[in-house]
Amino acid sequence: MTTKKTENGFTIKYNELNAKEFIFLWESVWGEPPSLEQTELAMKNTLFKVSIFDGEKIVAMARAIGDKGLCYYIKDVVVHPGYQGRGLGRILIGEILEYINANGAEGTEIAVELCAMPDKIPFYEKFGFAANEAQRLRIMHKVKVE
Ligand SMILES: CC(C)(COP(=O)(O)OP(=O)(O)OC[C@H]1O[C@@H](n2cnc3c(N)ncnc32)[C@H](O)[C@@H]1OP(=O)(O)O)[C@@H](O)C(=O)NCCC(=O)NCCS
């Protein structure tokens, strides 16, 4: 297990985030979570996951899906409400950018994208993210029942 300590005593874990932890943090900020089955599949297939612990308690998470060469998508950046405003969100984004840096082709540029609600845009702008004219298109595709 790879871990690291922050200056203020939190523990950062890499690629350890499991479905139950994910659901716990999801519910703390967004309410009704996705199913355990869907979440387990997602955790298994996520390229890079970072989580932060206060002792035994998970307090923050983020994950990145991507191909290492050309593009990444940052998903599910969550700091538990009791721990917001203490620099953990900054650590999460920093860890993802470090992972991207460590795994990309030297000297190249990689597109790192995410989707943010308007009130969270200033948070991401602190790391250089900026909106462009492209719009987000989405369907919620229903997986067929055989
Ligand atoms: C958005 C979120 C991840 C930020 O995490 P956090 O731990 O509170 O953020 P930090 O304490 O690391 O803040 C880092 C910097 O961003 C700023 N910041 C944080 N949230 C902000 C916001 N909503 N608007 C403007 N600035 C913000 C902080 O003031 C700080 O600035 P500084 O370093 O210049 O002093 C957290 O509020 C959260 O989990 N929210 C609920 C889930 C969510 O909406 N996630 C985003 C999905 S798009």
Side-chain angles (χ1 to χ4, degrees):
M1 190 201 303
T2 327
T3 63
K4 191 167 100 183
K5 280 269 184 212
T6 68
E7 282 172 9
N8 42 1
F10 292 100
T11 306
I12 304 173
K13 295 187 184 178
Y14 304 99
N15 295 319
E16 295 284 327
L17 182 69
N18 67 39
K20 285 191 174 148
E21 293 165 343
F22 179 96
I23 286 172
F24 167 74
L25 284 179
W26 175 294
E27 281 181 309
S28 79
V29 293
W30 291 318
E32 186 66 25
S35 74
L36 188 61
E37 182 188 12
Q38 252 188 309
T39 308
E40 279 173 344
L41 199 52
M43 292 304 102
K44 191 173 139 212
N45 291 294
T46 295
L47 188 61
F48 178 67
K49 298 176 285 187
V50 57
S51 44
I52 302 179
F53 282 72
D54 180 9
E56 298 295 304
K57 185 187 175 195
I58 186 159
V59 296
M61 67 171 177
R63 64 193 187 108
I65 51 182
D67 60 21
K68 299 188 182 179
L70 292 171
C71 60
Y72 281 89
Y73 200 90
I74 296 179
K75 288 286 294 168
D76 308 316
V77 179
V78 175
V79 177
H80 190 280
Y83 289 81
Q84 289 174 10
R86 294 161 66 171
L88 297 184
R90 183 177 281 284
I91 290 173
L92 293 172
I93 302 299
E95 291 291 343
I96 288 178
L97 295 178
E98 218 167 275
Y99 174 88
I100 293 171
N101 197 55
N103 289 280
E106 275 182 30
T108 59
E109 288 193 332
I110 302 178
V112 183
E113 298 182 28
L114 55 84
C115 188
M117 295 303 279
D119 67 325
K120 299 300 181 301
I121 290 174
F123 167 72
Y124 292 109
E125 284 176 340
K126 287 187 179 283
F127 308 95
F129 288 90
N132 66 13
E133 69 281 4
Q135 298 284 304
R136 180 196 200 198
L137 305 185
R138 181 169 93 158
I139 55 167
M140 293 305 286
H141 177 79
K142 181 99 178 168
V143 180
K144 284 193 193 125
V145 180
E146 296 297 336

